[in-house]
Amino acid sequence: MAIGSKQICGAVANLRGTIRVPGDKSISHRALLFGAIAEGNTEIEGLLPAEDPLSTANCLRAMGVEVSEISVGVNVVVKGVGLNGLQEPESILDCGNSGTTMRLMLGLIAGCHGRHFILDGDQSLRTRPMGRVAKPLGQMGAQISGRKQGNLAPLAIAGAALKGKILHTLVASAQVKSALLLAALTAEGPTTVIEPSLSRDHSERMLRAFGAQLVSNPLAPEVHLQPGHQLHGQRVVVPGDISSAAFWLVAGLLTPGTELILENVGLNPSRTGILTVLNAMGAAVECLEHRVVAGEPVGDLRVKTSPLKAFTIGGELIPTLIDEIPILAVAALAAEGTSVIKDAAELRVKETDRLAVMARQLRAMGAEIEETADGLVIPGSQKLRGAMLDSETDHRVAMSLAIAALNAEGPSQIARAEAAAVSYPSFWEHLAKIQA
Ligand code: S3P
């Protein structure tokens, strides 16, 4: 077997057990970033110890922020340097594979006047659009240059004094919104960010907890930030990542004789589109013990094998389940009827072109799938056969293919399976545990 590939035997049954999925990736990045520019210490419980948040932590360390060691089960302490305390790094800031790191970092450093920064990343990140952040930051006065008119990394940032603005974003992207809010913290005058529809609101919740003066419009996807307030270090408790739980939800639904409990899953309504869709498909997913932990709703989920009906998704639902579309495609193959995913062109600029990659890889298992410009059309009741598969370096593709392979006839091999470590380093261990 090639290094980094995983063998999955197909046609499994009776998955059993309890899984505590690792910390939410979006909340982990934000806890590190906001902690870095707060005054005093921030203690983070449940931070995701995966490659993406490590990229954020390493960039912050390179700018003089003390971040304690990140490892499983250990609270992380960030010693804040205040809103204007980031130092000019001696070398490039390496964002690895992490779009969230690069985009939020742009907002964090654009206003550091007198300091110079270079942001770079891996081969995948160098192809991802950064103009969606660099352009509105430019309207605030930021000086960002890069390949393709500032759209592609490596990016050079000459820190500049920023001015608050009213900004309309072109895509419903929490990365774009969060970058603009970070820049707004040190700008002169207030900033309003208006999105086409609401993206995940972890930044708004956490910035408010840190002491930022921020008002969300309850009737529109609009946030208003008034600068001039210091952030204060907090204790942050990171819930489990619903995007990681999604793999086990679909595995539980598709695998005969299964019952799984997923503990401590974040249930922020701007992230629970996957539950809305699974519910409409007739899935037996139950929420036990709904509670609020450190400003974020959390619950335990119980999932049992269920017959599923096809779904059609698009519009404002898409940002609430954007990262779950690859695994929803796997669920669609087993459902009764044809499922349709539309308005999801954003998937083409994720870690890979996830529409093309999922269609290609699932076809290798014998699936019939139609790829459209902004989505997929997936006939249901399809039987998959085990095959030679490839994550194509994308973490969510690796894990979605693993769940598809569990339910295929015959064994599969997934190349570049190590990609899962970007967001879920213990995924393969958890997969073995529920099969035992
Ligand atoms: C994220 C937002 C989403 C998501 C990504 C994490 C975040 O991206 O796909 O995995 O932490 O803000 P967009 O904001 O670009 O939609």
Side-chain angles (χ1 to χ4, degrees):
M1 199 159 65
I3 293 174
S5 73
K6 284 278 174 197
Q7 190 93 35
I8 310 265
C9 55
V12 302
N14 306 322
L15 303 178
R16 279 277 181 279
T18 298
I19 294 180
R20 204 173 172 88
V21 291
D24 187 278
K25 182 158 81 67
S26 295
I27 297 176
S28 295
H29 284 295
R30 286 156 176 79
L32 291 166
L33 289 161
F34 302 164
I37 52 168
E39 294 194 333
N41 288 358
T42 287
E43 185 170 354
I44 312 167
E45 184 184 323
L47 185 107
L48 170 66
E51 286 170 15
D52 268 14
L54 283 175
S55 294
T56 290
N58 286 336
C59 290
L60 294 170
R61 288 178 181 132
M63 293 187 284
V65 181
E66 270 185 54
V67 181
S68 67
E69 192 202 326
I70 296 176
S71 60
V72 181
V74 179
N75 288 1
V76 174
V77 178
V78 182
K79 290 194 177 168
V81 296
L83 282 176
N84 196 31
L86 294 173
Q87 293 165 18
E88 183 174 83
E90 284 174 9
S91 185
I92 63 152
L93 298 172
D94 182 1
C95 304
N97 187 246
S98 175
T100 311
T101 304
M102 187 170 280
R103 295 200 177 110
L104 270 59
M105 212 49 81
L106 278 172
L108 187 82
I109 62 189
C112 291
H113 42 92
R115 283 150 282 175
H116 180 260
F117 309 85
I118 307 276
L119 292 176
D120 201 3
D122 69 7
Q123 226 180 330
S124 148
L125 192 52
R126 282 183 176 184
T127 67
R128 298 183 64 188
M130 295 297 144
R132 53 178 60 193
V133 180
K135 276 201 187 124
L137 285 176
Q139 290 177 41
M140 297 175 79
Q143 291 180 26
I144 299 168
S145 58
R147 295 183 301 127
K148 305 278 177 203
Q149 285 86 45
N151 193 34
L152 299 182
L155 298 168
I157 300 97
L162 304 180
K163 282 203 163 48
K165 284 272 173 326
I166 297 174
L167 300 163
H168 291 262
T169 66
L170 298 176
V171 274
S173 159
Q175 295 181 353
V176 175
K177 172 174 62 181
S178 305
L180 300 178
L181 292 174
L182 275 164
L185 289 170
T186 56
E188 186 197 324
T191 293
T192 301
V193 183
I194 303 162
E195 300 189 89
S197 70
L198 186 70
S199 64
R200 62 191 68 185
D201 67 355
H202 304 300
S203 292
E204 292 93 306
R205 288 172 188 250
M206 204 188 292
L207 277 173
R208 234 176 254 128
F210 272 75
Q213 181 100 19
L214 185 143
V215 183
S216 302
N217 183 342
L219 301 174
E222 192 178 301
V223 199
H224 184 79
L225 189 140
Q226 183 74 43
H229 299 267
Q230 288 300 329
L231 303 185
H232 299 287
Q234 299 292 311
R235 186 177 160 76
V236 180
V237 184
V238 183
D241 199 325
I242 190 166
S243 299
S244 298
F247 302 109
W248 308 125
L249 288 174
V250 173
L253 294 169
L254 300 191
T255 312
T258 290
E259 178 171 335
L260 297 173
I261 304 274
L262 311 174
E263 282 180 345
N264 191 42
V265 180
L267 297 174
N268 179 315
S270 63
R271 296 284 298 282
T272 49
I274 174 83
L275 298 182
T276 308
V277 176
L278 292 179
N279 213 2
M281 294 175 80
V285 177
E286 227 183 311
C287 180
L288 320 164
E289 293 243 13
H290 201 282
R291 54 203 182 264
V292 174
V293 180
E296 289 279 350
V298 175
D300 299 339
L301 300 176
R302 178 164 54 206
V303 57
K304 292 184 187 168
T305 318
S306 312
L308 298 175
K309 295 189 287 270
F311 60 84
T312 293
I313 55 172
E316 297 189 355
L317 190 60
I318 296 296
T320 71
L321 47 65
I322 189 75
D323 292 336
E324 288 68 77
I325 290 176
I327 190 62
L328 272 175
V330 174
L333 290 166
E336 189 195 326
T338 295
S339 295
V340 180
I341 299 166
K342 52 189 178 189
D343 304 324
E346 269 297 295
L347 258 70
R348 297 205 181 275
V349 291
K350 293 293 177 189
E351 285 80 335
T352 59
D353 175 345
R354 286 182 174 158
L355 296 177
V357 173
M358 285 305 294
R360 182 158 55 233
Q361 294 300 324
L362 292 171
R363 281 183 196 133
M365 305 180 88
E368 187 194 317
I369 292 195
E370 186 195 333
E371 193 187 328
T372 62
D374 66 349
L376 297 168
V377 178
I378 310 173
S381 308
Q382 299 197 49
K383 294 265 175 277
L384 301 179
R385 55 168 191 270
M388 298 294 282
L389 303 169
D390 186 355
S391 76
E392 304 195 31
T393 74
D394 187 320
H395 56 127
R396 298 204 198 278
V397 171
M399 296 184 273
S400 300
L401 293 178
I403 305 308
L406 279 185
N407 291 285
E409 276 306 321
S412 296
Q413 193 164 308
I414 305 174
R416 297 189 270 185
E418 74 280 359
V422 159
S423 62
Y424 197 162
S426 49
F427 176 81
W428 302 107
E429 204 183 293
H430 285 175
L431 180 60
K433 175 181 147 180
I434 59 170
Q435 291 182 81

